[in-house]
């Protein structure tokens, strides 16, 4: 089955990249650069992306690749497209924090990922999903939480660290969310946060100024576990380089959209 072949190849690529990143964490040759304000890249990001693409291309030579570091490829005779974030959580990675992931998604239609793999090599947790085949963490099938009362919810809100011009508006929104919910968290990897909602560990997520590579794999996993994800601004649909995101266990989606949009 086509979708299963893509899932297996993505899991293999994520495992290879994860093993590579564990070695790189303590490597004295690791280089760190600031791409833009508060936005970092290391020598391991590009190398991890190349390793993933090299693995996938062996099996799917006609498909297109869109990686955070290498950008979007136009060539390819097939409709299939891979979306790759070679390290989601680069700051965690080079600061020695465990919350970083390899994130790989595959789709046939834009912004409708059919396969998603998110691997956290430090914690040895591999989240994966394929449309119709369920969402899993290892052998454990994932399902979103059943929390529908915002007052009981544990949500992720991520301040716009690369866009300080939007911070005041953001903190006003965050204040409304904070007072209405149980507590807030932020783990530093969008792919991991979406996977945690899929696993029922968290109930909702709000972040702006993401790229599609940050969310594509987590989106496939979350949707397959029964969750929902939508553009934070209903007149700004997801695009490759701009995604403002509200995601949840589904039960909190309407409340989150109303609370975040009506300010
Ligand atoms: C970042 C992570 C983080 C989010 C940032 C992203 P990167 O990705 O997903 O959680 O808050 O906005 O840029 O740069 O580590 O791949
Ligand atoms: Ca990312
Ligand atoms: Ca990245």
């Amino acid at each position: 089955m086509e979708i299963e072949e893509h899932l297996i190849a993505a899991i293999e690529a994520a495992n290879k990249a994860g093993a590579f990143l564990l070695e790189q964490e303590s490597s004295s040759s690791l280089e760190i650069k600031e791409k833009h304000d508060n936005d970092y890249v290391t020598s391991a990001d590009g190398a991890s992306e190349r390793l993933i693409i090299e693995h996938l291309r062996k099996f799917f030579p006609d498909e297109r690749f869109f990686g955070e570091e290498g950008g979007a490829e136009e060539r390819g005779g097939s409709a299939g497209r891979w979306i790759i974030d070679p390290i989601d959580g680069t700051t965690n990675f080079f600061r020695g924090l465990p919350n970083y992931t390899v994130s790989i998604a595959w789709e046939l239609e834009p912004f409708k990922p059919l396969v998603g793999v998110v691997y956290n090599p430090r914690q040895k947790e591999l989240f994966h999903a394929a449309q119709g085949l369920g969402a899993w963490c290892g052998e454990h099938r994932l399902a979103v939480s059943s929390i529908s009362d915002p007052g009981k919810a544990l949500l992720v809100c991520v301040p716009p660290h690369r866009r300080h011009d939007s911070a005041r508006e953001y903190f006003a929104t965050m204040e409304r969310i904070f007072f209405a919910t149980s507590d807030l968290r932020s783990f530093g990897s969008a792919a991991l946060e979406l996977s945690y909602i899929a696993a029922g560990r968290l109930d909702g997520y709000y972040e702006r100024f993401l790229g599609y590579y940050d969310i594509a794999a987590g989106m496939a996993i979350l949707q397959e576990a029964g969750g929902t994800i939508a553009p934070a601004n209903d007149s700004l649909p997801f695009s490759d380089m701009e995604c403002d995101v509200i995601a949840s266990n589904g039960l909190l989606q309407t409340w989150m959209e109303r609370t975040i949009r009506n300010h």
Side-chain angles (χ1 to χ4, degrees), residues 34-206:
E34 194 167 7
K35 283 199 270 196
H36 308 286
D37 285 352
N38 303 322
D39 187 7
Y40 294 91
V41 64
T42 72
S43 46
D45 289 74
S48 169
E49 185 167 308
R50 287 190 292 277
L51 187 153
I52 293 164
I53 293 178
E54 192 185 317
H55 183 84
L56 297 172
R57 213 195 284 284
K58 276 196 286 196
F59 301 99
F60 309 104
D62 296 335
E63 298 193 341
R64 287 171 300 145
F65 291 87
F66 169 36
E68 177 177 10
E69 306 309 330
E73 268 184 1
E74 288 311 321
R75 76 192 182 84
S78 137
R81 181 166 89 134
W82 293 94
I83 304 98
I84 299 157
D85 192 338
I87 308 180
D88 187 48
T90 295
T91 301
N92 287 343
F93 171 72
F94 71 78
R95 296 298 306 266
L97 293 164
N99 296 326
Y100 67 86
T101 56
V102 176
S103 173
I104 303 174
W106 177 74
E107 67 188 14
L108 286 172
E109 281 178 67
F111 312 110
K112 294 188 179 164
L114 298 173
V115 165
V117 173
V118 170
Y119 181 39
N120 176 343
R122 270 282 210 99
Q123 291 167 332
K124 301 267 173 290
E125 282 197 314
L126 191 140
F127 299 88
H128 66 92
Q131 196 179 64
L133 300 178
W136 303 81
C137 179
E139 303 292 304
H140 174 71
R141 190 161 187 159
L142 303 178
V144 292
S145 71
S146 56
I147 290 180
S148 56
D149 173 1
K152 299 274 182 291
L154 190 56
L155 301 191
V156 170
C157 284
V158 186
H161 53 282
R162 287 184 308 247
R163 288 287 305 271
H164 285 187
D165 55 316
S166 297
R168 285 190 203 291
E169 181 195 342
Y170 170 83
F171 284 116
T173 308
M174 187 173 164
E175 184 176 319
R176 283 198 305 282
I177 296 174
F178 176 75
F179 282 120
T181 56
S182 163
D183 205 351
L184 304 180
R185 294 283 184 277
S186 177
F187 292 85
S189 161
L192 194 66
E193 287 154 336
L194 293 172
S195 302
Y196 282 177
I197 304 175
R201 298 175 188 174
L202 298 168
D203 309 307
Y205 169 84
Y206 170 51

